[in-house]
Amino acid sequence: MATRNVVKEGDPILNKVCRSVLNFDEKLAQLLDDMADTLKVENGVGLAAPQVGILKRVCIVDVGDDDGIIELVNPVITEASGEQLEPEGCLSCPGIYGTTKRPMTVTVRAQDRNGNTFFVSGEGLKARAFCHEIDHLNGVLFKEHVIEYLDTGSEG
Ligand code: NI
């Protein structure tokens, strides 16, 4: 088990656009394993590579359902529908929560750690987590989507 430090808001790495993953190698596998360990310890619903200081298009989502940890490499949202207004937070912005406006349902096309392309859909919290983590890969924090700040929420 190896955890990595979570970068906090204010670090310019969180505002950078991440590079696509081209090599599906042991280094990528190690990054994903470390991110999973980190997410568990931090008790979040998602984590993106730039949050551990790596500018690669890699993120993971775990909303606590039967799917467990979903690993997304080079993810792209291919469909989005509906709308939800729910509380949201971010492991890089501790203690800050706000109601964000997100699609209710999204479909993501991504690659797994071996480079195989797959599609995954989610609604509610999972859709929100997909949007939140993919935003991180484009240097966007959830605060840009906040409509109203709150006292509590889930962190990704
Ligand atoms: Ni986040």
Side-chain angles (χ1 to χ4, degrees):
M1 172 142 177
T3 58
R4 301 196 186 190
N5 289 330
V6 175
V7 173
K8 298 299 189 297
E9 188 188 16
D11 190 317
I13 202 163
L14 292 174
N15 303 115
K16 294 195 180 348
V17 176
C18 296
R19 294 180 298 273
S20 295
V21 172
L22 302 175
N23 299 313
F24 294 82
D25 53 13
E26 183 53 37
K27 206 171 163 188
L28 174 66
Q30 189 63 58
L31 172 64
L32 284 160
D33 289 345
D34 289 356
M35 286 172 64
D37 289 342
T38 305
L39 182 64
K40 203 165 196 175
V41 166
E42 299 279 344
N43 204 23
V45 298
L47 187 68
Q51 290 182 280
V52 293
I54 305 293
L55 287 170
K56 287 183 178 172
R57 302 191 78 80
V58 173
C59 60
I60 59 174
V61 165
D62 185 355
V63 297
D65 65 6
D66 290 344
D67 287 346
I69 293 176
I70 300 171
E71 299 178 344
L72 303 169
V73 179
N74 299 328
V76 177
I77 293 174
T78 55
E79 281 181 54
S81 62
E83 188 180 295
Q84 56 173 321
L85 297 170
E86 293 291 338
E88 197 168 316
C90 179
L91 293 172
S92 294
C93 311
I96 300 172
Y97 306 98
T99 300
T100 58
K101 187 164 148 184
R102 301 282 193 184
M104 179 55 87
T105 308
V106 301
T107 299
V108 176
R109 184 188 70 231
Q111 287 166 281
D112 65 17
R113 60 168 68 198
N114 299 312
N116 300 309
T117 298
F118 67 98
F119 287 83
V120 59
S121 296
E123 68 173 46
L125 175 60
K126 193 179 278 185
R128 205 158 70 242
F130 286 153
C131 293
H132 180 119
E133 302 312 328
I134 292 170
D135 268 354
H136 272 302
L137 308 183
N138 294 318
V140 174
L141 293 178
F142 84 104
K143 291 171 113 181
E144 295 191 27
H145 296 280
V146 169
I147 293 165
E148 184 183 18
Y149 285 97
L150 304 162
D151 294 331
T152 186
S154 58
E155 296 183 329

